[in-house]
């Protein structure tokens, strides 16, 4: 074929592929590679379909990571670097809780646990909270619904969590690193809030922040974000009910008792694509001109906490030795010629 026709064909294909490329609102990517991520689907949950988790799992895989699905049979290999628990509505067995605690005890692991609103009493935070109590964490999911008439994506329950950080800056400006590049907040669909337990009482993290020196509030709901006990349960977990303004949405906890592992608890499954939460645009295009930073927030968390594994000297030696042997054989063959 004539070269000019080949060039023209390449140009046309390039233009067509460019026209089909989705426009990105901002630049963000998972830079961690060679790590292992696990998603628990074995305890139910509301946003755990492959469609919901697919975009994040695809991005993890494209970056060169391994994704494991814990489905019908519970299995948590030591090599897993981060475990995602999505709105679990079935209790964890004693063996499963012990397994998660032992896994965290390996050190420098990341556990992300998330909840949902108490709308109609459908979601119950007990399975997640019982696990958090077992591993010795302070954080808990509350039992309310958050609504915001000001910052939302078309409905008060499509809440914009738009205040980045709260209280003081711990752990080398952790909030700054996890929210770097974010010009606005994230959208959470029908979320609850995050509170703390000091061993005796449930506490409002906003008021007792200095007590919880292992915690760092990453994102809160806005100034008019309001906590509602919509199922009228009136339990201790409804502590925020009736409160308005800067209620914790996503909170970090350092776990020194578990060999310096890490915990993040969120009021919604912010890492799934359900209602466009793990995305750059919102579902209805109302909040912040249709742009939110859910995808960047999740990517920042992964890049900060899950480091690309480095090969040990043992692994490096066994990678180099075969190459050296091939080199020696090549030299000997040339000499014989």
């Amino acid at each position: 074929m004539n070269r000019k026709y080949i060039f023209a064909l390449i140009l046309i294909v390039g233009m067509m592929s460019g026209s089909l490329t989705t426009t990105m609102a901002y630049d963000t990517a998972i830079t961690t590679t060679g790590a292992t991520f696990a998603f628990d689907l074995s305890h139910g949950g509301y946003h755990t379909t492959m469609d919901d988790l697919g975009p994040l799992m695809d991005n993890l895989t494209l970056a060169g990571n391994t994704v494991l699905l814990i489905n019908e049979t519970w299995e948590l290999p030591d090599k897993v670097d981060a475990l995602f628990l999505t709105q679990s509505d079935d209790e964890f067995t004693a063996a499963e809780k012990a397994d998660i605690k032992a896994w965290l005890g390996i050190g420098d692991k990341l556990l992300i646990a998330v909840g949902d609103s108490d709308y109609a009493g459908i979601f119950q935070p007990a399975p997640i909270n019982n696990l958090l109590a077992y591993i010795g964490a302070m954080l808990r999911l509350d039992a309310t619904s958050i609504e915001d008439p000001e910052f939302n994506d078309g409905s008060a329950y499509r809440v914009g969590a738009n205040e980045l950080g709260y209280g003081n800056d711990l752990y080398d400006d952790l909030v700054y690193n996890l929210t770097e590049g974010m010009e606005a907040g994230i959208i959470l669909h029908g979320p609850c809030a995050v509170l703390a337990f000091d061993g005796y009482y449930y506490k409002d993290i906003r008021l007792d922040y200095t007590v919880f020196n292992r915690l760092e509030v990453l994102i809160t709901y806005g100034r008019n974000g309001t906590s509602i006990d919509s199922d009228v349960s009136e339990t201790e977990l409804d502590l925020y009910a009736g409160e308005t303004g800067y209620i914790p949405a996503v909170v970090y906890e350092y776990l020194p008792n578990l060999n310096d592992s890490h915990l993040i608890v969120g009021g919604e499954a912010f890492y799934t694509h359900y209602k466009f939460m793990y995305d750059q645009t919102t579902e209805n295009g109302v909040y912040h001109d249709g742009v939110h930073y859910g995808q960047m927030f999740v990517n920042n968390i992964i890049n900060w906490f899950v480091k690309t594994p480095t090969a040990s000297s043992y692994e490096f030696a066994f990678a180099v030795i075969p190459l050296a042997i091939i080199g020696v054989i090549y030299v000997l063959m040339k000499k014989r010629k």
Side-chain angles (χ1 to χ4, degrees):
M1 184 183 291
N2 191 302
R3 286 187 179 181
K4 67 179 182 181
Y5 293 119
I6 295 174
F7 176 77
L9 181 60
I10 293 172
L11 183 61
I12 292 170
V13 171
M15 291 174 64
M16 289 178 63
S17 63
S19 67
L20 295 174
T21 301
T22 302
T23 302
M24 307 297 282
Y26 49 79
D27 291 328
T28 181
I30 294 172
T31 57
T32 297
T33 187
T36 302
F37 297 82
F39 293 82
D40 176 34
L41 309 183
S42 66
H43 293 86
Y46 301 97
H47 306 148
T48 56
T49 68
M50 295 305 293
D51 285 343
D52 295 329
L53 297 173
L56 175 56
M57 293 193 297
D58 288 346
N59 285 347
L60 287 168
T61 303
L62 287 171
N65 299 290
T66 299
V67 173
L68 303 179
L69 296 179
I70 304 173
N71 206 344
E72 296 179 1
T73 303
W74 174 264
E75 185 177 1
L76 181 60
D78 290 351
K79 67 179 181 179
V80 169
D81 297 289
L83 171 63
F84 294 77
L85 305 179
T86 303
Q87 303 170 320
S88 309
D89 54 5
D90 293 332
E91 285 285 352
F92 292 82
T93 67
E96 289 167 348
K97 287 189 286 189
D99 196 24
I100 293 173
K101 187 171 184 178
W103 169 77
L104 288 166
I106 295 171
D108 203 26
K109 303 293 188 180
L110 173 64
L111 174 64
I112 298 180
V114 296
D116 203 349
S117 75
D118 73 339
Y119 176 73
I122 297 172
F123 174 73
Q124 296 297 326
I128 291 288
N129 284 345
N130 290 340
L131 171 64
L132 296 177
Y134 180 85
I135 66 174
M138 293 179 174
L139 292 178
R140 300 289 190 275
L141 296 170
D142 89 336
T144 70
S145 299
I146 302 294
E147 296 187 3
D148 192 328
E150 180 182 13
F151 298 112
N152 63 64
D153 192 42
S155 300
Y157 59 86
R158 300 174 184 266
V159 186
N162 63 341
E163 291 293 327
L164 310 181
Y166 184 85
N168 54 4
D169 293 322
L170 303 177
Y171 316 118
D172 298 322
D173 298 320
L174 178 64
V175 170
Y176 172 81
N177 286 289
L178 297 188
T179 61
E180 185 177 8
M182 293 173 58
E183 297 178 7
I186 64 178
I187 286 293
L188 299 178
H189 182 88
C192 65
V194 183
L195 43 70
F197 185 70
D198 67 359
Y200 300 97
Y201 303 102
Y202 291 100
K203 295 290 184 70
D204 180 340
I205 299 175
R206 301 170 303 169
L207 304 179
D208 253 323
Y209 192 85
T210 56
V211 176
F212 306 110
N213 57 7
R214 288 165 26 187
L215 309 184
E216 182 74 14
V217 179
L218 303 179
I219 298 180
T220 76
Y221 303 106
R223 61 194 176 194
N224 286 314
T226 301
S227 175
I228 302 169
D229 181 12
S230 67
D231 66 352
V232 198
S233 54
E234 297 183 349
T235 68
E236 291 180 298
L237 292 175
D238 293 301
L239 180 68
Y240 290 120
E243 296 285 335
T244 297
Y246 311 113
I247 299 169
V250 184
V251 186
Y252 164 81
E253 180 173 353
Y254 168 58
L255 301 174
N257 57 315
L258 292 172
N259 202 12
D260 302 330
S261 281
H262 313 279
L263 169 67
I264 292 177
V265 176
E268 239 291 2
F270 59 91
Y271 56 83
T272 83
H273 196 256
Y274 179 75
K275 299 299 181 181
F276 289 36
M277 286 188 286
Y278 180 71
D279 207 322
Q280 299 190 9
T281 59
T282 69
E283 184 179 39
N284 293 326
V286 176
Y287 175 80
H288 193 62
D289 295 325
V291 176
H292 82 120
Y293 289 80
Q295 188 179 89
M296 179 177 283
F297 182 53
V298 174
N299 291 352
N300 286 352
I301 288 173
I302 290 170
N303 294 338
W304 180 258
F305 284 112
V306 185
K307 306 303 181 185
T308 296
T310 55
S312 66
S313 57
Y314 178 83
E315 292 169 332
F316 178 76
F318 274 87
V320 171
I321 287 172
L323 295 177
I325 293 172
I326 292 171
V328 170
I329 293 172
Y330 176 75
V331 171
L332 292 174
M333 289 180 68
K334 285 197 71 174
K335 285 184 176 180
R336 292 185 68 179
K337 288 182 178 179

